[in-house]
Amino acid sequence: MAPALPTPVPRHRSRWTPELVVDTGGLACVLGYLALACYSRGSLGVPSLGPFFALIGWVALPWLAVFALLGKHPDDVPVGRLIVWAVALRACGLFGVPLFEDDYFRYLWDGYRFAETGTPYGWTPAASFADENVPAAFQRVLDQVNHPDVPTIYGPTTQFVFLLGYLVAPASLWPVQLILLTIDILLIRLLTILAAPRFVLLYAWCPLVIKEIAFTAHPDGLGAFLLVAAVLLRRREHMRAAAVCLALAVGAKVFALLLVPFVLARAGPRAWAAFACALALMYLPFAIQGGTDLTALALFAATWEFNSALFGLLSQWLPAAETKWLLGTVLVAMGAAYWLRFSRRDAGQIPRGDWIFGCFLVAAPVINPWYAIWLLPFAAVFPSCWAWTASLALLLSYVTGSNLGVFDLEPFAHPHGLRPLEFGLIFAAVGVDVWRRRSTA
């Protein structure tokens, strides 16, 4: 008779299943964003930085905790739940009002001008100050438009979003918010095809993305969605559709031009012709009517400076024009070297959009927090520490003279030490990535 086998001791199973982790973290984040929405409405247009950063900390902690806990079950991430909570987080923005931002008045005004005249270009808001035909609701919008003496800087693709928002509810921001957050959800869906679910969560629940798209209605998510769609179409060898998506992305913001040579590398002349034709068809009707966004873009590139990194550092010793030429030359050389290496690979490879946009931003004269939206989808595909550190660190750029209420600082100036802290955190995270890569190797 064979000896009896010992009775196996049942292994303790944690109650913290991936579903429960996602639901608990999602609920904590929803409560935080609802609190942010209530605070934005209760601040009477003069929000304080302290409560804002406290609430950002509230939503950032469960975001990072869920990401860390899901590392124990990377193959069991409930993607459906993750997206449902991502929708709920963005819906909270519909109950709030933009914090520390007034760009949305320009969106509302552009939508009105587009509907009334057939084009939002070729006319400055200041030229309408004395126009008695402007409805009272848009007179109030017009009074809040920043830089009213400058034509609109927003591209044709975004202008159609503003027009649609006007047609749904004139002088109201919520239609534009709803359109943009819907597009952002579609971007998350595309990321589930390209990236591991756990890293999709980093984008789907990212505080910067939710604040800048759902709460503030910055249209950069539209351009990022079109770029990711172009990458996916290119991988599936739909060349001309990818080219059209690229043209629409450039029409959203010229940043997208940086990725065009990589997505269309070895794509053939027909794809390049489709890109050129789609871009021309977008711009030509507006150019015929008297203007495009290129006028304001040229002025912006020549004169604006805000929250810059290398540009702000080098311009302490060099004139601004020479600094731009120097940094531009370095960027072109680096981009060309990467393109030569990339173009020899398999055509289905995804370009390192996180590197491309990251290098561009670190050299740019202006780094607004919402510019990071262009690189974060690629940071979900190519996980790194620096990109997600940047998504939080760039929010420090809201610490300006006007938001602090400090009169001995220029309205858009930062206190001494803020930029070294902001970019120091990012470069420290780059060091962590380099160390981890070498350790793995």
Side-chain angles (χ1 to χ4, degrees):
M1 183 175 181
L5 295 174
T7 304
V9 178
R11 301 177 72 179
H12 175 70
R13 184 177 180 180
S14 172
R15 295 180 180 178
W16 287 96
T17 62
E19 291 79 8
L20 185 57
V21 167
V22 170
D23 289 344
T24 304
L27 178 60
C29 286
V30 163
L31 293 175
Y33 284 116
L34 287 175
L36 183 62
C38 291
Y39 175 69
S40 70
R41 289 195 170 274
S43 58
L44 298 177
V46 190
S48 174
L49 288 167
F52 169 72
F53 282 115
L55 291 168
I56 291 296
W58 176 346
V59 296
L61 284 175
W63 168 56
L64 296 174
V66 170
F67 172 74
L69 290 171
L70 289 178
K72 299 178 180 179
H73 308 278
D75 298 326
D76 299 320
V77 177
V79 178
R81 272 183 161 87
L82 183 156
I83 295 178
V84 167
W85 283 111
V87 173
L89 302 182
R90 283 157 176 77
C92 295
L94 297 173
F95 299 100
V97 295
L99 285 161
F100 310 115
E101 283 297 327
D102 57 7
D103 288 351
Y104 65 97
F105 290 110
R106 177 77 73 159
Y107 312 160
L108 302 179
W109 177 253
D110 283 0
Y112 164 73
R113 287 287 304 173
F114 198 169
E116 289 293 308
T117 67
T119 177
Y121 302 114
W123 190 263
T124 65
S128 297
F129 283 159
D131 187 352
E132 297 180 355
N133 294 320
V134 175
F138 281 98
Q139 285 286 2
R140 292 190 290 271
V141 168
L142 184 58
D143 290 341
Q144 302 296 322
V145 172
N146 59 31
H147 304 290
D149 56 330
V150 178
T152 184
I153 201 171
Y154 298 101
T157 307
T158 56
Q159 294 295 348
F160 282 100
V161 172
F162 304 156
L163 174 63
L164 182 57
Y166 169 84
L167 295 176
V168 173
S172 296
L173 183 61
W174 69 263
V176 177
Q177 288 176 288
L178 186 59
I179 295 167
L180 293 176
L181 68 85
T182 301
I183 291 169
D184 199 38
I185 294 299
L186 294 176
L187 170 55
I188 294 169
R189 178 66 185 89
L190 294 184
L191 286 178
T192 63
I193 302 172
L194 298 172
R198 180 167 169 253
F199 295 101
V200 173
L201 178 137
L202 282 177
Y203 180 87
W205 293 17
C206 178
L208 180 142
V209 173
I210 295 167
K211 188 271 179 192
E212 301 298 351
I213 294 179
F215 278 81
T216 315
H218 281 294
D220 296 70
L222 170 62
F225 164 74
L226 291 165
L227 275 186
V228 173
V231 168
L232 188 58
L233 288 167
R234 178 68 177 89
R235 280 169 61 94
R236 296 181 175 182
E237 299 187 355
H238 300 298
M239 308 301 185
R240 277 171 281 186
V244 171
C245 279
L246 284 175
L248 291 170
V250 174
K253 186 168 280 188
V254 291
F255 285 5
L257 279 172
L258 297 172
L259 224 64
V260 171
F262 298 92
V263 178
L264 295 185
R266 297 194 296 170
R270 290 185 178 181
W272 282 98
F275 170 76
C277 290
L279 197 60
L281 286 173
M282 274 196 301
Y283 273 94
L284 190 59
F286 298 113
I288 291 173
Q289 294 181 78
T292 66
D293 59 321
L294 301 180
T295 302
L297 282 172
L299 181 62
F300 180 84
T303 60
W304 256 277
E305 191 280 334
F306 175 74
N307 195 41
S308 59
L310 290 181
F311 175 83
L313 183 63
L314 293 177
S315 61
Q316 300 295 317
W317 296 282
L318 295 173
E322 292 181 11
T323 303
K324 291 175 183 177
W325 278 107
L326 174 62
L327 291 173
T329 302
V330 172
L331 283 176
V332 169
M334 292 173 61
Y338 177 52
W339 184 86
L340 289 172
R341 179 183 174 189
F342 178 84
S343 62
R344 289 194 289 265
R345 296 180 179 178
D346 175 32
Q349 292 291 315
I350 300 174
R352 292 298 303 259
D354 54 335
W355 290 355
I356 295 167
F357 289 118
C359 290
F360 169 73
L361 290 179
V362 82
V366 176
I367 309 177
N368 288 310
W370 53 91
Y371 290 178
I373 293 171
W374 289 86
L375 66 88
L376 292 178
F378 296 94
V381 180
F382 303 102
S384 66
C385 180
W386 73 265
W388 303 105
T389 301
S391 75
L392 293 177
L394 288 176
L395 292 173
L396 292 172
S397 64
Y398 283 114
V399 183
T400 61
S402 61
N403 291 334
L404 287 170
V406 177
F407 297 104
D408 56 352
L409 275 177
E410 293 291 328
F412 294 103
H414 294 121
H416 293 296
L418 185 129
R419 290 194 200 182
L421 172 62
E422 177 186 353
F423 295 112
L425 290 170
I426 298 171
F427 285 111
V430 171
V432 170
D433 285 328
V434 171
W435 175 78
R436 291 174 61 184
R437 185 172 181 178
R438 289 182 176 179
S439 299
T440 303

